[in-house]
């Protein structure tokens, strides 16, 4: 995510209907002021590259980069068919 980009607050409702759905978020760099990931009422900050956060993607979440450097993350979802 380049500086100035954002993903508005939303919930991925398709994940709510999946069996054993899990979402994971992992940064590829240490936290930088202006890199923001929020889910429900939690703001994720002060993380280190390689940390892994599990969250419910059907609950509201969003991301924004108001820093001067790109924000690089990995997002993975799993569920049973």
């Amino acid at each position: 995510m380049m500086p100035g980009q954002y993903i508005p607050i939303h919930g991925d409702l398709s994940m709510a209907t999946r069996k054993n759905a899990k979402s994971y978020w992992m940064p590829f760099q240490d936290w930088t002021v202006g890199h923001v990931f929020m889910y429900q009422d939690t703001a994720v900050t002060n993380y280190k590259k390689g940390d892994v956060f599990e969250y419910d993607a059907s609950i509201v979440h969003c991301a924004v980069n108001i820093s001067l450097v790109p924000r690089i993350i990995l997002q993975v979802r799993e569920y049973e068919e």
Side-chain angles (χ1 to χ4, degrees):
M1 177 180 284
M2 297 303 291
Q5 293 184 322
Y6 65 94
I7 300 171
I9 194 163
H10 66 284
D12 300 315
L13 298 179
S14 65
M15 292 300 287
T17 61
R18 305 285 186 177
K19 184 176 178 184
N20 296 321
K22 295 180 183 174
S23 298
Y24 303 94
W25 181 88
M26 184 178 78
F28 279 9
Q29 63 205 123
D30 292 343
W31 179 74
T32 298
V33 173
H35 287 186
V36 180
F37 174 63
M38 294 185 71
Y39 61 94
Q40 202 161 18
D41 60 354
T42 301
V44 180
T45 61
N46 296 319
Y47 51 77
K48 297 290 184 197
K49 65 181 173 182
D51 289 349
V52 177
F53 301 89
E54 182 179 340
Y55 70 101
D56 182 344
S58 67
I59 297 193
V60 293
H61 56 282
C62 62
V64 63
N65 183 357
I66 52 175
S67 77
L68 298 175
V69 297
R71 176 180 167 270
I72 304 169
I73 62 105
L74 172 68
Q75 183 173 311
V76 176
R77 296 193 173 153
E78 68 173 337
Y79 55 87
E80 293 179 32
E81 287 290 329

